[in-house]
Amino acid sequence: MNVFRLLGDMSHLLAILILLLKMWKTRSCAGISGKTQILFALVFTTRYLDLFSSFISIYNTTMKLFFIASSYFTIFLMYSKFKATYDSNHDSFRMEFLVVPVGGLAFLVNHEFLPLEILWTFSIYLESVAILPQLFMVSKTGEAETITSHYLFALGSYRLLYIFNWVYRYYFDGFFDLIAVVAGCVQTILYCDFFYLYITKVLKGKKLSLPA
Amino acid sequence: EDVLDIHDEL
C-alpha cells in the first residue's frame, strides 16, 4: 500500500458516499445515469469474485464488500425507491456497445486464460468505459448539479491517483500490470474534458454547463 | 511472463 493508492481508494469511497448522500438528501437521482451504476455493479461483481477465495487484508476485504454493497444499493435506489425521478430519456447510452466489445477483448487480451482472470480483465476494461453513459447523459442534458460534478471529480480522481500508485509501485516494488495501467489511462483520459470544466467552472462557484 | 497470481488492488 502507498499513499497514492490509499488516496485513490479514499477518493473512490468519497465519490460513492457523495452519490448516496445526493440521492438520500434530495430524494432524487435526477442527472444520474442508472446505466453507469449498473456497469459499476458489474465491474465490482466480476472483479471481486475472489473475495472469499483469497484474503489479502481486512482493509481489502471490507472495501470490496462496501463497493459491492453500495453499488447494488445505488441501483436499488435508482430503479426502485427513487424510480420516479430517474431520467431514463436522457440515460439512453446503449450498454451493450460497451459490454460486448469489452467482453471480447477480455478473452483475447489477458494475463492468463482462466475464468477468474478473464473476468478480472473484463472488469478492468469495463471500468475504463463504464462512465461513458454518465458523461453522455451530462452532455445530453447540457448541465449537471454541482453535487453530481463533485461526485464525478472524486470518481475521476480515484483512477488518476491509481496511475501515480502504479508509477510508485513500478519504481519501488518493480510491480507493473500493463492491462490495469492502459485501462486506467483510458479511463482517466475520458474525464479530461470534465476535469477542465470542473476546474474552470465549478471551482469558481459556477454551475457545470456544457457549451450547447 | 510472470503471471500476476493475485490482484491485490481494489
Side-chain angles (χ1 to χ4, degrees):
Chain A
M1 177 57 80
N2 59 69
V3 64
F4 300 112
R5 182 144 66 110
L6 189 61
L7 285 176
D9 290 341
M10 291 306 107
S11 182
H12 195 182
L13 189 63
L14 179 66
I16 292 170
L17 294 176
I18 289 174
L19 180 62
L20 289 175
L21 187 74
K22 170 246 180 326
M23 288 200 276
W24 201 256
K25 285 276 184 206
T26 64
R27 324 266 324 140
S28 154
C29 55
I32 304 296
S33 163
K35 299 193 172 179
T36 283
Q37 300 309 318
I38 289 171
L39 293 175
F40 281 147
L42 189 55
V43 163
F44 294 135
T45 307
T46 51
R47 187 174 304 179
Y48 299 152
L49 291 171
D50 63 349
L51 188 61
F52 302 109
S53 61
S54 63
F55 176 79
I56 293 165
S57 68
I58 296 284
Y59 170 80
N60 187 275
T61 303
T62 45
M63 290 294 273
K64 285 178 177 177
L65 286 171
F66 177 78
F67 285 162
I68 290 175
S70 60
S71 61
Y72 283 102
F73 181 58
T74 300
I75 290 172
F76 160 72
L77 289 180
M78 293 197 72
Y79 287 96
S80 169
K81 195 162 175 62
F82 303 134
K83 183 179 177 61
T85 64
Y86 171 51
D87 181 4
S88 59
N89 297 325
H90 286 116
D91 192 12
S92 53
F93 196 98
R94 303 285 300 277
M95 288 188 289
E96 49 274 34
F97 288 170
L98 298 176
V99 174
V100 173
V102 158
L105 188 63
F107 263 93
L108 298 174
V109 181
N110 52 59
H111 289 308
E112 201 179 6
F113 199 77
L114 289 174
L116 263 181
E117 190 60 29
I118 289 175
L119 283 170
W120 177 85
T121 309
F122 169 76
S123 147
I124 291 287
Y125 293 152
L126 184 61
E127 187 188 4
S128 63
V129 293
I131 198 62
L132 282 174
Q134 179 66 65
L135 296 178
F136 180 74
M137 184 173 190
V138 171
S139 67
K140 273 192 84 173
T141 53
E143 63 173 10
E145 289 175 20
T146 301
I147 186 86
T148 305
S149 52
H150 294 322
Y151 160 69
L152 286 171
F153 182 73
L155 200 57
S157 306
Y158 129 71
R159 214 61 181 172
L160 174 62
L161 287 161
Y162 255 71
I163 292 173
F164 294 127
N165 150 63
W166 290 320
V167 171
Y168 180 97
R169 292 189 75 180
Y170 179 71
Y171 285 111
F172 292 91
D173 306 348
F175 169 91
F176 183 67
D177 181 347
L178 184 64
I179 285 176
V181 170
V182 171
C185 291
V186 167
Q187 182 170 339
T188 305
I189 287 167
L190 291 177
Y191 281 86
C192 284
D193 175 36
F194 167 77
F195 279 146
Y196 171 76
L197 288 169
Y198 183 82
I199 289 164
T200 56
K201 289 197 174 178
V202 178
L203 292 189
K204 290 184 177 137
K206 294 182 198 146
K207 192 175 173 64
L208 182 85
S209 59
L210 301 178
Chain B
E1 151 182 317
D2 67 318
V3 174
L4 304 143
D5 54 349
I6 192 163
H7 300 292
D8 64 345
E9 294 181 341
L10 289 175

